[in-house]
Amino acid sequence: MGMDFFGHQDQARKASGRLVWLFVAAVVCIILLIYAAAKAFLIVGDVSEQGLIDLPVLGAVAGAVSALVVGAMAFKSAQLRGGGAAVAEMMGGRLVDPHTRDPQERVLMNVVEEMSIASGVPVPDVFVLEAEAGVNAFAAGWSTKDAAVAVTKGALETFSRDELQGVIAHEFSHIFHGDMRLNIRLVGTLFGIICLTVIGRVLLHAGRGSKRDGQHVAIFGLVLVAVGYIGVLFARLIQAAISRQREYLADAAAVQYTRNPKGIGMALAKLGGLTGKLESPHAEEASHMMFADAVAGLGGGLATHPPIEERVERVLPGCLKHAAACGSLTQAVHDTPAPTQPTGAAGFAGPTPQRVLETVGDPQPQHVEAARALLSALPLHVGVSAHEPARAPALIYSLLLDRDEAERARQLAMLDGSDGGARLEAQTLNAEVAALPRTMHLPLVELAMPTLRRLPPEERAAFLDRARSLSLSDGRLSAFEFALLKTLERHLPIEGNAKPRRRRTASLAQRAEDAGLVLSVIARAGAEQEEEVRAAFERGCLVLGVAAPPLSPADAATPQGLDRAIDGLDRVSPLSKRRLIEACAEVAAHDGHLDPDEVDLVRALAELWDCPVPISIPT
């Protein structure tokens, strides 16, 4: 049985709400404690003779603490606006070159690329924490469009390929199930809570060096330090409450994605004899997003992760009993038979709307195997081009060249003024790309994404302009061209770092006009006769379950309007997205099946809504 992607997304959204209340409770406790300290300080100094509740003092304390905490949160959130890359760099990470020749890094890139293509998300940025000998890893970001995966140098040197694949599959589960957004919010929230400790230390130091009223300043600084540690206690409790069950889920997902319990099991077993402790000064605030505990000395209810032994037992039942007999957890993992994994048939007998829906955020071992086969079957020139900044744009151009010779000649003429001989490179690559199965075209875009992100901003903007021009050269936008352009626009920000979007949840009924426009575009892209278009549209509306507006005319679907509709639909809840994606797939499959272009269109829309659809498997 597969993972309930939409259910887990909805749980992550609700957990964000619980995080707000936990945060408010922590701030209220801090305010009351500081008020009590301030009141005691004022009474000792005979400055105030008011009663227990001194509203002016309470108001001043509440205002000062709230401003400080919110200001610290805003500061940290601004630092993390760049998404996963910003978190990885904060932790001391180095971006791995997609074309790296380092053997360990090459294995890491291969594993990440396989998992990305299998699951239907563009390859994220990959980082190595070179200064960290501890064995650990994490995924971070606001969404799939700015995700990053990072592993420590110790993990690269410790794990085999199978073990590393289990760890990366674990981290991809966090990407799929909405954990990353929750985790990155938690980093900012925790920084706001614990910042009082830093302020208290400053006052304590200043008070010791001051002759006048220095004692009072030092005492108040000491109080802030003490209260700040209460904030740290709250932070630990919040981390533990948010993180523990999600680690169990991610371990189980890693087993399902790879069908190899011993991969993730052995990685965990090795951790049991080593340490995941990080030396980074930011390890404390980011420990909840790590593969294993990153801070030493935490245990019991304050540990951000479940005990290693429990995690191993869950993926390999009976392992702990054998470990007690042989005295070695790693030996027990090696000797314990792996439980039989259900193969599942969803998505492997030809794509249908229901099979597409069943595999959202839930790649199966067959998808991983298909991704591995795709990468191994790539012509050398195509694979190299996907990893080299000078050639990656031409690879994308080659995917957009028309089959019609005259139209292709017009498109190539558009590339005459581009730098680096893009015309000749695109023409050469087009011949090789055309010989590949159609289902491999969109994965090539996903494979090239880390390389394209390395382009300087001005080159990136020029590249996107040329890609749009090639797509619209014949005056129309095909399903594949739409999918390709939307993938590029989502994952290649033009102005600086990617910014998290504000999300106020809306119902499908509130976004019915947006849904109607999107379904109208899909219906018109897949049918020519007006009767067929209307039938496909009505089929989708029936699945959607809300009163959508009438079928939109062809000239109503402007790129700007469609962009606004897609963004508006991103605000609906995960459970509503289930119906939305199913409705899109039903419209695309109006003739009874989904062809490769239609699958790519649905995959692109789903990924825009953070609901990745795995790679299509040829039948």
Side-chain angles (χ1 to χ4, degrees):
M1 183 176 179
M3 296 286 172
D4 181 6
F5 169 82
F6 296 101
H8 290 307
Q9 283 264 332
D10 194 55
Q11 289 174 14
R13 182 176 63 87
K14 292 176 180 177
S16 295
R18 291 195 296 271
L19 174 60
V20 172
W21 290 111
L22 287 169
F23 169 72
V24 169
V27 173
V28 168
C29 288
I30 290 172
I31 288 173
L32 293 177
L33 288 169
I34 293 181
Y35 168 72
K39 187 69 176 172
F41 174 77
L42 292 175
I43 291 174
V44 170
D46 293 328
V47 179
S48 173
E49 296 180 357
Q50 299 183 27
L52 182 63
I53 304 300
D54 189 336
L55 291 180
V57 174
L58 179 59
V61 170
V65 171
S66 299
L68 179 63
V69 171
V70 171
M73 285 179 58
F75 169 76
K76 180 59 68 173
S77 297
Q79 283 188 323
L80 303 179
R81 289 175 76 182
V87 176
E89 289 167 358
M90 178 187 80
M91 298 298 296
R94 171 183 59 80
L95 183 64
V96 176
D97 186 341
H99 201 45
T100 180
R101 301 296 179 87
D102 181 276
Q104 292 177 336
E105 294 179 0
R106 188 65 259 160
V107 170
L108 173 63
M109 286 300 303
N110 286 342
V111 169
V112 173
E113 288 171 352
E114 287 174 9
M115 200 66 230
S116 297
I117 292 173
S119 57
V121 298
V123 179
D125 287 332
V126 180
F127 289 81
V128 172
L129 310 185
E130 288 188 302
E132 301 290 356
V135 180
N136 227 317
F138 67 87
W142 294 100
S143 68
T144 56
K145 76 174 184 178
D146 58 19
V149 174
V151 300
T152 62
K153 186 67 173 176
L156 276 187
E157 294 173 345
T158 300
F159 293 145
S160 68
R161 191 189 194 283
D162 283 352
E163 294 158 4
L164 190 61
Q165 185 185 49
V167 172
I168 295 301
H170 171 106
E171 299 305 331
F172 266 79
S173 173
H174 289 311
I175 294 175
F176 301 148
H177 294 137
D179 298 345
M180 289 194 313
R181 175 177 287 271
L182 179 61
N183 285 340
I184 203 170
R185 281 177 174 164
L186 193 52
V187 172
T189 300
L190 298 183
F191 186 78
I193 293 175
I194 67 177
C195 68
L196 287 172
T197 301
V198 178
I199 302 297
R201 287 170 180 165
V202 172
L203 291 178
L204 185 59
H205 178 75
R208 287 172 177 171
S210 174
K211 294 181 179 179
R212 184 179 181 180
D213 295 327
Q215 184 179 6
H216 289 162
V217 172
I219 291 173
F220 196 68
L222 185 61
V223 169
L224 283 182
V225 170
V227 172
Y229 276 114
I230 293 174
V232 172
L233 174 63
F234 265 99
R236 292 288 166 267
L237 292 173
I238 291 172
Q239 283 179 318
I242 296 296
S243 176
R244 284 189 165 201
Q245 288 304 314
R246 295 184 175 278
E247 293 305 311
Y248 285 134
L249 168 65
D251 289 342
V255 173
Q256 179 176 301
Y257 298 162
T258 63
R259 203 189 295 160
N260 181 13
K262 290 198 173 184
I264 184 73
M266 187 61 78
L268 289 167
K270 286 184 176 180
L271 264 172
L274 300 171
T275 177
K277 183 178 180 296
L278 301 183
E279 300 299 328
S280 168
H282 300 283
E284 193 171 272
E285 62 200 77
S287 62
H288 59 281
M289 66 173 60
M290 298 294 166
F291 178 67
D293 284 323
V295 180
L298 297 179
L302 294 181
T304 55
H305 292 65
I308 291 293
E309 293 78 9
E310 289 184 15
R311 294 172 68 181
V312 173
E313 179 67 16
R314 288 205 178 199
V315 298
L316 283 170
C319 187
L320 287 188
K321 183 177 180 180
H322 185 58
C326 70
S328 169
L329 187 58
T330 54
Q331 186 63 43
V333 170
H334 182 271
D335 294 342
T336 301
T340 302
Q341 299 296 314
T343 58
F348 310 122
T352 66
Q354 188 58 35
R355 292 191 184 108
V356 166
L357 193 67
E358 288 171 354
T359 59
V360 170
D362 190 23
Q364 302 294 308
Q366 292 93 327
H367 292 120
V368 178
E369 291 164 9
R372 185 177 299 175
L374 181 154
L375 290 172
S376 63
L378 283 182
L380 179 61
H381 187 201
V382 174
V384 170
S385 296
H387 292 121
E388 290 192 357
R391 296 181 178 182
L395 176 61
I396 305 303
Y397 300 150
S398 73
L399 293 168
L400 292 168
L401 294 180
D402 202 278
R403 293 181 179 179
D404 179 77
E405 187 174 344
E407 179 59 34
R408 186 165 64 250
R410 283 194 294 272
Q411 290 176 309
L412 289 170
M414 295 178 180
L415 300 176
D416 279 340
S418 60
D419 296 331
R423 171 177 178 153
L424 180 60
E425 186 73 18
Q427 193 169 10
T428 303
L429 284 166
N430 179 249
E432 297 187 71
V433 167
L436 297 174
R438 173 62 189 78
T439 53
M440 294 175 70
H441 288 189
L442 195 59
L444 277 178
V445 182
E446 297 165 352
L447 180 65
M449 203 58 66
T451 307
L452 295 170
R453 281 194 291 263
R454 285 185 163 227
L455 295 175
E458 61 278 5
E459 290 185 27
R460 204 182 309 150
F463 160 68
L464 285 173
D465 285 340
R466 292 191 194 102
R468 292 190 193 101
S469 298
L470 291 175
S471 299
L472 296 169
S473 62
D474 58 357
R476 60 183 294 273
L477 199 63
S478 70
F480 172 73
E481 290 166 340
F482 175 86
L484 186 150
L485 285 181
K486 285 301 172 189
T487 300
L488 293 177
E489 290 169 359
R490 173 173 167 81
H491 292 273
L492 295 179
I494 297 300
E495 298 179 1
N497 290 327
K499 299 177 182 178
R501 291 166 293 176
R502 293 183 179 180
R503 295 191 173 195
R504 293 183 179 178
T505 303
S507 67
L508 265 179
Q510 291 173 310
R511 312 308 304 184
E513 185 175 346
D514 293 335
L517 179 59
V518 170
L519 294 183
S520 296
V521 170
I522 298 174
R524 294 192 179 280
E528 296 181 359
Q529 300 298 323
E530 189 67 18
E531 295 81 7
E532 294 180 355
V533 171
R534 188 170 300 279
F537 176 78
E538 291 174 354
R539 181 176 176 177
C541 290
L542 186 64
V543 172
L544 201 61
V546 298
L551 176 69
S552 301
D555 58 1
T558 62
Q560 295 81 3
L562 189 56
D563 284 345
R564 284 194 297 271
I566 290 171
D567 289 343
L569 290 168
D570 191 36
R571 291 171 49 191
V572 304
S573 71
L575 296 180
S576 294
K577 286 179 181 177
R578 182 201 298 268
R579 299 208 314 272
L580 177 62
I581 294 170
E582 185 179 7
C584 290
E586 287 288 352
V587 173
H590 69 283
D591 54 357
H593 73 282
L594 287 163
D595 64 34
D597 278 0
E598 290 168 337
V599 172
D600 282 345
L601 177 59
V602 174
R603 288 183 71 214
L605 286 170
E607 204 273 325
L608 286 169
W609 296 322
D610 289 322
C611 301
V613 175
I615 184 176
S616 296
I617 298 179
T619 56

